Amino acid sequence: MTEHDAHPTSGQEQPPTPAPPAPGQPPRAPQQDPSASGARPDPHNAGHDDAEQQARQEDGAQVSTDVTPPGIPDAAIPELVIISGMSGAGRSTAAKCLEDLGWFVVDNLPPALIPTMVELGARSQGNVARIAVVVDVRGRRFFDNLRESLADLESKSVTRRIVFLESSDDALVRRFESVRRPHPLQGDGRIVDGIAAERELLRELRGDADLVIDTSSLNVHELRAKMDAQFAGEEEPELRATVMSFGFKYGLPVDADLVVDMRFLPNPHWVPELRPFTGLNEEVSAYVLNQPGAKEFLDRYAELLQLVAAGYRREGKRYVTIAVGCTGGKHRSVAMSEKLAARLAAEGVETVVVHRDMGRE
């Protein structure tokens, strides 16, 4: 039954009442007039001509003029950035920079799936508000679906930006030779042949780009700074710190950026009433912090970390691991790690505390 049949105008023959279902079969859902149920008609149905809309208005039905495609609520459409460009020009670095800024990043996504990814982000109830997609020639059929996907996004009023990473042929050749990897399009030819083929393939997309970054003379930190300037807004890039207590007798943490040694303080292990407890205990913590030099160390090291953190941000470093050690990783390092983490958190640094060796004795 067509939609025109379901909503007869005056003078048309009423459709016959459907026969009752056979015994044991579920009843059929009754055909309802949208004017009675309040349902909105599908704006994409071919049966919506002017005559039908006028007939429905005469019957008191609400005629929708909303042309927003179904499935993507307007208020929930996420911000979209498409990262592309020459192989070796820094696409991965640009993607990692956006990821550190809180974007949901998908690498090497087939262009045909970009609208689907946007729709999933819109249905996440704000949990995925910014999406970055890396598309490149590794998919070989690069432009087969990209144009169609971009047109689909435009029809759905999705705001998208294209970031194109560019670099000179000489710089790209040096980078490929330094890592001893072939260009994805060179085949049996030379690196320069692959670069030329890719440049021609991407020529049209480069012309559509909202932002072109030439990385020929940029290092990783300078590229990060350019991405921060475009996408970090007025907020300073966030620094995340992990403060890890450890015991020197179990070895240094391999991922530590900074290491400090608490063995200049007396060991609570030799105080019988404190030995069973850890640095999380208030009495143990007070014992450690009341030792000569303990509070001075905490104050000065926290001040030093402010200086280091500012430098890390300038260099594009987003994560730092501070290792605080003592003999067994149970008393002094645990107590000082907790106090140091509290200082960092008070300065606005997102901080996680890990006690690597507590409980190993």
Side-chain angles (χ1 to χ4, degrees), residues 22 28 52 55 57 76 78 101 106 111 133 149 153 175 186 194 203 217 231 302 324 330 334:
R28 296 182 181 179
E52 286 186 341
Q57 287 175 333
L101 291 174
V106 184
V133 176
S149 295
L153 293 172
R175 292 169 187 174
Q186 77 177 71
R203 178 172 54 85
S217 59
F231 296 99
V324 182
K330 179 180 179 180
V334 172

Side-chain angles (χ1 to χ4, degrees), residues 17-39:
T17 302
Q25 296 296 323
R28 296 182 181 179
Q31 297 282 349
Q32 292 187 352
D33 187 345
S35 63
S37 62

Side-chain angles (χ1 to χ4, degrees), residues 235-268:
E235 297 181 1
E236 190 174 38
E238 186 178 9
L239 180 67
R240 298 179 177 90
T242 298
V243 181
M244 177 185 299
S245 69
F246 74 97
F248 278 97
K249 69 179 183 180
Y250 300 113
L252 287 169
V254 296
D255 58 343
D257 297 294
L258 302 170
V259 179
V260 291
D261 187 354
M262 294 294 101
R263 291 177 295 183
F264 73 92
L265 299 174
N267 192 348

Side-chain angles (χ1 to χ4, degrees), residues 118-303:
V118 173
E119 182 172 345
L120 291 175
R123 295 179 180 277
S124 69
Q125 298 180 347
N127 293 324
V128 182
R130 298 182 296 177
I131 298 175
V133 176
V134 182
V135 291
D136 52 49
V137 296
R138 285 177 290 176
R140 293 301 191 268
R141 298 179 178 179
F142 182 73
F143 280 110
D144 288 357
N145 305 110
L146 182 58
R147 283 288 166 196
E148 183 179 345
S149 295
L150 292 179
D152 187 16
L153 293 172
E154 185 175 356
S155 70
K156 296 175 179 176
S157 302
V158 176
T159 302
R160 76 342 175 239
R161 284 182 287 176
I162 299 176
V163 177
F164 191 94
L165 281 300
E166 175 67 278
S167 192
S168 67
D169 288 1
D170 290 343
L172 294 176
V173 169
R174 288 196 302 269
R175 292 169 187 174
F176 275 104
E177 288 181 343
S178 67
V179 296
R180 299 181 180 180
R181 295 189 62 186
H183 189 281
L185 294 184
Q186 77 177 71
D188 296 330
R190 301 175 301 163
I191 293 177
V192 291
D193 298 327
I195 293 174
E198 183 180 34
R199 199 176 293 281
E200 176 61 26
L201 185 62
L202 297 174
R203 178 172 54 85
E204 190 173 357
L205 181 64
R206 188 188 188 282
D208 293 338
D210 301 283
L211 173 65
V212 177
I213 301 178
D214 188 346
T215 66
S216 302
S217 59
L218 300 181
N219 59 34
V220 173
H221 307 301
E222 291 169 334
L223 175 55
R224 277 185 167 272
K226 284 185 173 290
M227 293 295 293
D228 284 343
Q230 291 293 327
F231 296 99
E234 298 181 357
E235 297 181 1
E236 190 174 38
E238 186 178 9
L239 180 67
R240 298 179 177 90
T242 298
V243 181
M244 177 185 299
S245 69
F246 74 97
F248 278 97
K249 69 179 183 180
Y250 300 113
L252 287 169
V254 296
D255 58 343
D257 297 294
L258 302 170
V259 179
V260 291
D261 187 354
M262 294 294 101
R263 291 177 295 183
F264 73 92
L265 299 174
N267 192 348
H269 175 79
W270 304 114
V271 180
E273 58 270 23
L274 299 179
R275 181 180 301 177
F277 303 105
T278 70
L280 298 177
N281 179 270
E282 292 185 4
E283 293 183 2
V284 173
S285 179
Y287 176 87
V288 172
L289 269 295
N290 287 330
Q291 297 301 319
K295 292 181 180 179
E296 290 81 359
F297 169 82
L298 180 61
D299 292 337
R300 296 183 183 182
Y301 194 65
E303 183 179 352

Side-chain angles (χ1 to χ4, degrees), residues 346-360:
E347 295 294 330
V349 178
E350 184 177 335
T351 308
V352 176
V353 184
V354 177
H355 300 301
R356 191 193 71 174
D357 298 325
M358 190 172 66
R360 292 185 63 175

